[in-house]
Amino acid sequence: MSRRGTPHLPSQGGELGTAAPFYPRLGDLARDTSRDGVIGVVIELPGEGRNTYHLCPAGGGDKWSAPNDGTTLCPVQPQVTHITPLKRDVMYDARAEHGGLPVTVHYEDGGTAETVLVLEPSQMELYAYQVGRILEMRDKARGGRL
């Protein structure tokens, strides 16, 4: 899936923007929108005698070039490994009928991000039941001890 350029980004020629252009470094993974979103490793940077970025597939293969302004390159986000609840109180928005559970998202590169897991009423009921089942399994594994 090819991502279209966002005209409000400075790297796309827009005057106003909230995001800085992406200028990858050596070894970074980058998605090249000019090649249908192919992901490659940056192996050469523009500069001294080179007017383009040079990339190659992570497992090896044919190299390719991307413009030196970075307009066709996007960062590749690290994969999520797991999510854990934070030790903070939950919230409920009566108007939207949504509950919120503060969580930490853990990434494969060791990074984390705090956010809120938003739950609709049916999800809250389902997860209340499922957490109850987890507690029952824990008690059974402990031999009925609490």
Side-chain angles (χ1 to χ4, degrees), residues 38-125:
V38 167
I39 296 174
V41 178
V42 177
I43 56 173
E44 291 182 23
L45 301 174
E48 300 178 30
R50 285 182 306 279
N51 197 26
T52 59
Y53 286 95
H54 292 268
L55 299 93
C56 73
D62 293 335
K63 299 181 205 176
W64 75 90
S65 299
N68 65 356
D69 61 3
T71 54
T72 67
L73 301 178
C74 301
V76 175
Q77 300 300 320
Q79 296 295 308
V80 173
T81 59
H82 62 286
I83 299 172
T84 55
L86 286 167
K87 293 183 179 178
R88 295 194 191 137
D89 202 6
V90 296
M91 56 206 82
Y92 182 74
D93 181 342
R95 188 184 50 139
E97 295 186 348
H98 289 160
L101 175 66
V103 296
T104 300
V105 179
H106 300 264
Y107 298 97
E108 67 184 355
D109 66 356
T112 61
E114 290 184 7
T115 189
V116 175
L117 175 62
V118 177
L119 302 167
E120 297 174 356
S122 62
Q123 293 169 320
M124 288 185 270
E125 292 172 10

